[in-house]
Every structure is written in structure tokens, then in C-alpha cells.
Amino acid sequence: MKTKLRIFNIILIALIAFAAVACSDSKDEPAPVDKAPRTVLVYMVAANSLGIGQNIAGVDYPSADDADVAEMLAAARAGNLDGEVLVFRSRYDETPTLSRLTPSGLVTLKEYDDDIIAVSIAQMRSVFDDMKRLAPAEKYGLVLWSHGSGWLENGYADPDYRPLSFGEDRGKRMNVTSLRQALDGAGFEYLYFDCCYMSTIEVAYQLRDCVDYIMASASELPRDGMPYDRNLPELLKDAPAGLISAATNTFDHYNTQANPEDRTCTIAVLDTHHLGEVAAATRAIYEVTPLPHPGLTVTNYRGRSRQGFSIDFGEYVEAL
């Protein structure tokens, strides 16, 4: 009997010790982070002319990125952001940072080396990973903020320049094929290009497997870009309805400008799922259309006159 009691006591002590260790280990683990319904990352590549203030007609204007951050703060203070907004910003002579947007300002979450290239695949992927670690969410959206060249070859002599590029970071640009590699498997539901010329069939086709929706303009956009105070609440809503509202806000912002030169926005929301079908149909038309195509010219929406055919792809193919 004593032997059985001794064995029982040993087992009981072992169980108590195991429970104590288990409890101790659980206290050392960090509490699980609740996922937001959506996190939007605004990737601001501002080490270029957009990150420098200007004096126009004797009036000092802040840099374009400062102006847009002010609009973001206005949206945060209004208290209608259903999700997280993170801002990565690379500027001249400042440490690149990843910050959380709050009603009281941008709260720095991480600083990066001063010599990073924001338009490199490795750096972009690093920021994406940090976003998911610091602001986990059920869904993610991405805003790419900078210059954009779309398909245009503008004659730059810079050997690092290639057509079909996004961004400008200290003279470096990111080919759209490189952007595809950075976005591949990153898990973004949509991509909003807050820059010029990126709503082209060439760009969309390259990125068709990376995101479900692309929002962009086929024309030039003035320095102020989209109205972030109105658009951030929409970008945190379900797609594509929220995206269409954001695109409408951007179009209306420019369409109501008093100066006709400023009414230059041609924003669109693209569903990437059907681009394979578009490519197949276009290929069939090209195969029976002799080259060259006389009389068909490509014009810029910014131009004062519209001669030949515009850069609208649907018009061009219909004409063929």
C-alpha cells in the first residue's frame, strides 16, 4: 500500500511540475496580435522632384509627399478608417521609415539604412514583410506613390532607365518586370498607382497574376495626386466597390478644377482576371491586320488637339 501511495505521489508531483512549466512558458509568449480587416500600405518613393518644395508665382508650396501626408492625417483625425494604414517614405537626406498613420501623426515603426534603393526588388519585399509583421490583416492593399512612365520612352540618357517603369529614387527606376517580381506572392488584393501613365494594357498584363485589381491613370497627374483625405476610407473598404469610389473621387477632384490644363485625370479600375482573354482576342486581330497601320498615331491626353487615335487601347483595336 505504501509503495502504491509513493508511486501516486511521484506521479502527482510530476504532473504539478509539468503544469507549472507549461504555465511559465505560456506567460513568456507574446500575446497574439489581432488582425485588422485590411491594411493599406502607401509606398512613397519621394527622393525625386516630388519630394522637394516649390515656389510657384511667389507662393511657397510644400513637397508633394508632405501635402499628401497632411491629407492622410486629416482622414485619420476624422476617425473613419476601418483598418490600418502604414506609410513607407524615402526622401532626400532623410532616413527612410515605415510608419503607422494615427490621428496624432505618423508613428515610426522601423527605420531603414540611408543608402537603400526604394525601387529595388529586395527593398520592396522587405517593406512588405515588415508590413505583415507589424500590421497583420485579413486583406492588404498597396498604393505606389511616385513618378511613373508607363510605356513611354522619354529619351532619358540614364543607363538605368528603361521604358515601362515605376518610381524614381535618386535617379533609379523600377522596370515593371521587376515590379512584377516584387509583387509576386506578396498577397495584395489591389494596387493603386498614384502616378502618371500606369493605366496601360502593357503594365496591366505584366501584373495580371499579382493583384486582382489595378487602379491607375493613362494620362499625367498633377503633383497632388489623389485626394487621400477622401480616398483612404474607401481604400479600406471591400473591393471592388471601395476602389471604384476612390477612383471616382480622384476623377471628380480633377474634373472640377477651374483651370482646363489641370483636368487631366483618366483614372480607371481594371479587373486583371480577364487580361488573358484580352490578349488572345488582340492576338487574333493582329494576325489578320497588315503592318504597318497607316494613319494610326498615338497621342497624349494632355495635348490640346486630338489627332488620329488616342492612347485608349479599346479605340485602337476597334480601329484595326
Side-chain angles (χ1 to χ4, degrees):
M1 186 59 134
K2 290 182 179 179
T3 301
K4 291 182 178 179
L5 184 59
R6 188 179 297 112
I7 293 174
F8 175 81
N9 289 338
I10 291 172
I11 294 174
L12 181 61
I13 292 170
L15 289 173
I16 293 172
F18 177 82
V21 170
C23 291
S24 175
D25 287 347
S26 66
K27 290 180 180 178
D28 293 337
E29 294 178 358
V33 178
D34 292 334
K35 287 187 175 182
R38 188 184 302 276
T39 291
V40 172
L41 171 64
V42 183
Y43 196 91
M44 306 186 81
V45 182
N48 50 53
S49 60
L50 297 176
I52 301 173
Q54 292 188 358
N55 183 284
I56 302 175
V59 178
D60 290 325
Y61 290 87
S63 64
D65 60 320
D66 282 335
D68 284 345
V69 167
E71 291 179 346
M72 296 178 203
L73 291 172
R77 293 187 184 113
N80 55 358
L81 299 183
D82 186 19
E84 291 269 21
V85 176
L86 299 192
V87 179
F88 169 80
R89 186 154 59 152
S90 172
R91 291 164 47 105
Y92 285 119
D93 302 323
E94 289 189 16
T95 299
T97 58
L98 178 65
S99 305
R100 174 176 280 112
L101 179 67
T102 72
S104 58
L106 291 177
V107 177
T108 300
L109 301 177
K110 182 175 180 177
E111 294 184 345
Y112 299 87
D113 293 337
D114 292 337
D115 59 351
I116 66 165
I117 301 299
V119 290
S120 72
I121 297 172
Q123 181 58 43
M124 195 172 275
R125 294 288 300 200
S126 175
V127 175
F128 295 166
D129 291 341
D130 291 332
M131 171 201 68
K132 292 178 182 178
R133 177 174 56 85
L134 297 169
E138 298 295 334
K139 295 182 179 179
Y140 298 94
L142 175 64
V143 176
L144 290 181
W145 185 106
S146 191
H147 287 298
S149 66
W151 56 270
L152 295 178
E153 295 190 49
N154 55 12
Y156 281 8
D158 187 336
D160 293 313
Y161 174 81
R162 298 291 185 275
L164 282 171
S165 67
F166 156 74
E168 180 187 339
D169 188 65
R170 298 170 179 85
K172 304 290 185 181
R173 295 168 180 81
M174 186 177 211
N175 296 346
V176 171
T177 50
S178 298
L179 177 59
R180 182 188 65 206
Q181 294 180 57
L183 292 174
D184 186 29
F188 288 104
E189 183 182 24
Y190 68 80
L191 167 59
Y192 194 130
F193 280 111
D194 194 19
C195 48
C196 302
Y197 298 129
M198 300 307 283
S199 181
T200 70
I201 195 70
E202 296 87 351
V203 172
Y205 188 76
Q206 285 288 341
L207 305 180
R208 67 192 184 281
D209 296 325
C210 300
V211 292
D212 294 329
Y213 303 97
I214 296 173
M215 287 163 292
S217 172
S219 66
E220 292 176 313
L221 288 177
R223 281 168 54 89
D224 54 338
M226 70 166 161
Y228 282 85
D229 51 339
R230 298 175 60 190
N231 275 5
L232 281 187
E234 303 304 321
L235 295 179
L236 287 165
K237 294 179 181 179
D238 288 338
L243 312 182
I244 294 171
S245 294
T248 302
N249 288 341
T250 304
F251 178 83
D252 291 343
H253 170 71
Y254 288 107
N255 196 41
T256 55
Q257 298 297 312
N259 184 356
E261 289 287 318
D262 295 330
R263 294 203 293 271
T264 179
C265 180
T266 57
I267 203 77
V269 179
L270 310 176
D271 184 336
T272 62
H273 296 96
H274 305 287
L275 285 166
E277 301 165 41
V278 173
T282 304
R283 186 179 300 110
I285 293 172
Y286 284 174
E287 288 175 351
V288 296
T289 306
L291 293 173
H293 308 306
L296 298 181
T297 60
V298 178
T299 62
N300 190 326
Y301 275 114
R302 184 89 174 192
R304 293 180 180 275
S305 62
R306 184 179 176 192
Q307 300 174 350
F309 292 94
S310 72
I311 54 179
D312 181 87
F313 188 71
E315 277 187 12
Y316 175 70
V317 173
E318 183 178 356
L320 296 183

